[in-house]
């Protein structure tokens, strides 16, 4: 009995959600088991940070390449290739268990899985013509809920769940995903639509591309957005790579540790919906200024590290986790006009990804230099203050211009 297109779409969305959920394991392992991995491989934190930073940089480079290959060969083939790179990465890490094996496996081969970064988006846009936004919201919840649910599971079973076991689980998930991808993923749908604006942008003359790119640096609003997205990426790199180590270094108890990380995962989802609501119903620059103020308070709580700091940080940072990127892209689009959105988005995300790489890398270097994470947290406070001030200036400048316009009229 053949399934309807709606049933196929929902089935694929469920499968993609499960893949995103279990992918949270890799997000958890290198952050939580830093000390164990350092001892096992006889390396310092700077080496682990460099490996993770290289992974993120390679993922960023592979993403647009993977997008072009997805258009040409279809999402299913790219998902299978993505799984093969993931399997090879885990095999190299587990078989060699030395610094070079860890760097080649996690830094290089795992970074190549960035070729599959766009496949979920392509599938959702092709199969969900009427409810794309809802489908993307469901898909985005997978990683956050994975972090919230899997964190206490790993912590409570620490007597047998170590970093090698976690990577072995990841290996077998990759192996099992290949036949399921063959079976469940369908490349084409009658609801597939073309994106003429993106196709037209791809055909722009080279001089036009250079002119559009240079506009970012001449427009004060987009300069603020680029600084803010770099700050957001730096904070993401700090949290993704070093938050668990920060809590461990402060000797946070297991109950508070697990609760704070689970809360962070849940608040990522809730905070994303909250700021999506605010961005549609109030000045976007004011909403984004408020977002970065929340991050300043969150990092101040973290640097002081009193008893409830982990919980307070998770609430404040989690609430602001997912709003900075879409908000910044919308503000930049308003400043430059709704043209060449593909170029806008790609350029702005490059600044965000660059911040993430530097944030992850600098955390390990600063820890080895200062034997702590206070300087890293302090840099986050400074950058978040600058971003909040930048968006506030844009808001008040626009307000003054609008006020003068009303008076002149």
């Amino acid at each position: 009995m053949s399934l309807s297109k709606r049933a196929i779409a929902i089935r694929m969305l469920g499968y993609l959600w499960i893949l995103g959920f279990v992918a949270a394991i890799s997000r958890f392992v290198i952050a939580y088991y830093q000390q164990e991995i350092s001892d096992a491989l006889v390396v310092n934190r700077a080496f682990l940070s460099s490996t993770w930073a290289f992974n993120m940089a390679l993922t960023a480079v592979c993403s647009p390449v993977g997008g072009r290959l997805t258009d040409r060969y279809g999402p299913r083939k790219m998902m299978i290739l993505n799984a093969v790179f993931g399997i090879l990465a885990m095999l190299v890490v587990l078989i060699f268990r030395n610094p070079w094996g860890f760097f080649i496996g996690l830094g290089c081969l795992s970074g190549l899985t960035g070729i599959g970064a766009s496949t979920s988006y392509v599938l959702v846009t092709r199969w969900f013509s009427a409810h794309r936004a809802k489908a993307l919201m469901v898909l985005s919840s997978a990683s956050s809920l994975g972090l919230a649910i899997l964190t206490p599971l790993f912590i409570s079973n620490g007597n047998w769940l170590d970093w090698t076991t976690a990577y072995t689980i990841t290996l077998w998930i990759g192996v099992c995903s290949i036949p399921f991808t063959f079976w469940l993923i369908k490349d084409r749908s009658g609801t597939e639509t073309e994106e003429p604006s993106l196709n037209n942008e791809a055909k722009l003359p080279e001089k036009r591309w250079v002119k559009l790119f240079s506009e970012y640096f001449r427009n004060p609003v987009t300069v603020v957005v680029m600084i803010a997205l770099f700050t957001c990426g730096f904070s993401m790199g700090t949290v993704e790579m070093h938050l668990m180590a920060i809590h461990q270094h402060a000797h946070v108890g297991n109950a508070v540790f697990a609760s704070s990380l689970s809360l962070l995962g849940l608040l990522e989802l809730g905070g994303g919906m909250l700021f999506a609501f605010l961005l549609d119903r109030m000045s976007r620059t004011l909403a984004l200024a408020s977002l970065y103020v929340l991050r300043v308070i969150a990092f101040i709580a973290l640097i002081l590290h009193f008893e409830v700091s982990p919980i307070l940080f998770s609430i404040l940072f989690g609430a602001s986790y997912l709003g900075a990127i879409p908000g910044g892209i919308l503000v930049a689009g308003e400043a430059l006009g709704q043209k060449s959105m593909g170029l806008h988005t790609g350029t702005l995300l490059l600044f965000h990804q660059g911040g993430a790489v530097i944030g992850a890398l600098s955390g390990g270097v600063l820890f080895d230099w200062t034997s702590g994470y206070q300087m890293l947290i302090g840099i986050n406070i400074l950058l978040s203050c600058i971003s909040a001030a930048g968006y506030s200036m844009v808001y008040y400048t626009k307000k003054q211009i609008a006020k003068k316009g009303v008076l002149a009229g």
Side-chain angles (χ1 to χ4, degrees):
M1 181 178 177
S2 61
L3 295 173
S4 66
K5 289 180 179 179
R6 177 182 173 83
I8 293 173
I10 293 174
R11 186 180 68 176
M12 286 197 299
L13 180 61
Y15 176 61
L16 293 172
W17 191 92
I18 292 172
L19 289 181
F21 182 90
V22 296
I25 295 176
S26 60
R27 176 181 173 183
F28 172 84
V29 172
I30 194 171
Y32 181 70
Y33 293 108
Q34 283 197 53
Q35 186 60 54
E36 290 83 351
I37 297 173
S38 297
D39 293 341
L41 302 180
V42 194
V43 295
N44 55 23
R45 300 289 178 95
F47 173 81
L48 298 183
S49 297
S50 300
T51 301
W52 190 243
F54 188 84
N55 174 292
M56 289 190 293
L58 188 56
T59 298
V61 172
C62 289
S63 294
V65 176
R68 293 180 67 87
L69 293 175
T70 298
D71 289 336
R72 183 170 183 178
Y73 298 107
R76 180 167 58 183
K77 291 180 181 178
M78 297 311 298
M79 287 180 67
I80 293 171
L81 182 59
N82 179 78
V84 169
F85 280 131
I87 292 168
L88 291 175
M90 294 301 100
L91 282 175
V92 170
V93 169
L94 293 169
I95 290 173
F96 292 98
R97 299 196 187 186
N98 59 46
W100 279 111
F102 191 83
F103 183 83
I104 293 172
L106 193 68
C108 300
L109 292 172
S110 182
L112 292 175
T113 60
I115 62 169
S118 63
T119 53
S120 296
Y121 171 80
V122 171
L123 284 167
V124 168
T125 54
R126 286 179 177 177
W127 287 87
F128 288 86
S129 57
H131 301 285
R132 288 177 181 173
K134 293 179 182 177
L136 288 171
M137 175 62 73
V138 170
L139 194 61
S140 68
S141 71
S143 179
S144 297
L145 290 178
L147 180 66
I149 295 171
L150 295 176
T151 294
L153 180 65
F154 272 80
I155 292 175
S156 61
N157 291 278
N159 56 331
W160 66 272
L161 270 173
D162 58 10
W163 68 277
T164 56
T165 306
Y167 279 144
T168 302
I169 294 172
T170 302
L171 168 66
W172 284 108
I173 289 172
V175 172
C176 294
S177 72
I178 293 179
F180 279 101
T181 299
F182 266 115
W183 176 41
L184 295 173
I185 298 300
K186 308 296 182 183
D187 282 342
R188 299 291 175 183
S189 166
T191 61
E192 180 181 353
T193 59
E194 296 295 330
E195 300 290 347
S197 62
L198 296 181
N199 292 337
N200 291 337
E201 288 166 19
K203 298 175 182 178
L204 286 174
E206 185 177 347
K207 290 183 179 179
R208 176 62 173 158
W209 279 82
V210 174
K211 181 180 178 181
L212 287 171
F213 187 79
S214 66
E215 288 181 22
Y216 287 102
F217 299 94
R218 296 198 304 266
N219 190 308
V221 175
T222 53
V223 170
V224 168
V225 172
M226 289 188 292
I227 293 171
L229 287 180
F230 176 88
T231 299
C232 179
F234 192 94
S235 298
M236 297 297 185
T238 297
V239 171
E240 296 277 347
M241 181 68 193
H242 303 292
L243 180 61
M244 296 183 193
I246 290 170
H247 289 335
Q248 289 170 332
H249 188 68
H251 305 291
V252 173
N254 279 347
V256 175
F257 189 102
S259 299
S260 66
L261 293 175
S262 294
L263 191 61
L264 178 64
L266 292 173
L267 263 295
E268 287 177 10
L269 180 59
M273 292 188 288
L274 170 64
F275 273 96
F277 177 85
L278 293 177
L279 289 168
D280 284 336
R281 287 164 177 79
M282 64 182 291
S283 167
R284 286 168 178 162
T285 50
L286 183 59
L288 289 166
S290 303
L291 181 150
Y292 283 98
V293 169
L294 278 182
R295 292 194 177 186
V296 170
I297 299 171
F299 280 110
I300 288 175
L302 194 61
I303 201 170
L304 295 176
H305 229 297
F306 42 89
E307 188 174 356
V308 295
S309 283
I311 301 296
L312 183 58
F313 178 84
S314 293
I315 293 172
L316 295 175
F317 189 84
S320 68
Y321 194 83
L322 298 176
I325 297 176
I329 290 172
L330 289 172
V331 170
E334 290 174 355
L336 294 175
Q338 300 298 324
K339 56 183 180 180
S340 303
M341 287 305 296
L343 178 60
H344 289 345
T345 304
T347 303
L348 294 173
L349 289 179
L350 182 63
F351 281 89
H352 181 272
Q353 195 70 10
V357 171
I358 295 174
L361 179 61
S362 60
V365 174
L366 290 173
F367 179 86
D368 290 333
W369 181 32
T370 65
S371 299
Y373 291 101
Q374 298 297 85
M375 187 175 292
L376 175 66
I377 301 172
I379 294 172
N380 276 280
I381 294 172
L382 176 62
L383 290 174
S384 296
C385 284
I386 293 172
S387 299
Y391 275 128
S392 297
M393 289 175 59
V394 173
Y395 169 72
Y396 286 111
T397 300
K398 286 184 176 180
K399 190 175 181 180
Q400 290 297 321
I401 292 173
K403 186 176 180 180
K404 290 179 180 179
V406 170
L407 292 175

